Amino acid sequence: MRPSKNQLLINAFATEIKLRRRELGFSQEDLAGCCELDRPYISLMEVGRKQPTLSVLLRLADGLQFSLADFMGRVQQRYLLEQAVAQPRAPSLPE
């Protein structure tokens, strides 16, 4: 399976990792320890340069103290928001 090229989705995922980590008061090292991952891997996911496998995604959600469904729900909400912002708006017609 090839990594996603959907940059808005990658950005949404990266942003949600970083925001939740900060909400929990975790450093990248703290999160890496909770997930049994390397700190550089956490860093690369947070900047959108790495995409996890499903098993890593599950460990990441657990480390962020979310169910996988809740974490991906947050990612989806942010993705939809970023899509809305990125779409050009049609000019409004005079009434």
Side-chain angles (χ1 to χ4, degrees):
M1 189 181 265
R2 292 189 179 134
S4 175
K5 298 214 185 283
N6 183 333
Q7 197 59 50
L8 292 178
L9 179 59
I10 293 166
N11 292 347
F13 176 74
T15 299
E16 285 303 319
I17 295 171
K18 187 179 229 176
L19 286 175
R20 180 61 176 169
R21 176 178 62 76
R22 288 180 173 173
E23 284 174 9
L24 295 170
F26 287 176
S27 66
Q28 289 180 343
E29 192 72 39
D30 295 333
L31 180 57
C34 291
C35 302
E36 297 180 3
L37 298 169
D38 294 328
R39 190 216 44 86
Y41 190 62
I42 298 293
S43 175
L44 289 170
M45 285 190 292
E46 284 189 359
V47 295
R49 294 191 50 213
K50 286 289 183 184
Q51 297 176 43
T53 62
L54 286 174
S55 59
V56 169
L57 186 58
L58 180 60
R59 290 179 9 210
L60 183 61
D62 286 343
L64 293 170
Q65 300 176 10
F66 276 131
S67 68
L68 182 56
D70 288 342
F71 178 61
M72 293 313 297
R74 280 180 63 147
V75 171
Q76 183 178 26
Q77 285 178 336
R78 179 159 305 275
Y79 173 62
L80 293 173
L81 183 80
E82 289 193 16
Q83 270 188 320
V85 169
Q87 288 184 358
R89 294 197 170 93
S92 59
L93 299 174
E95 294 182 23

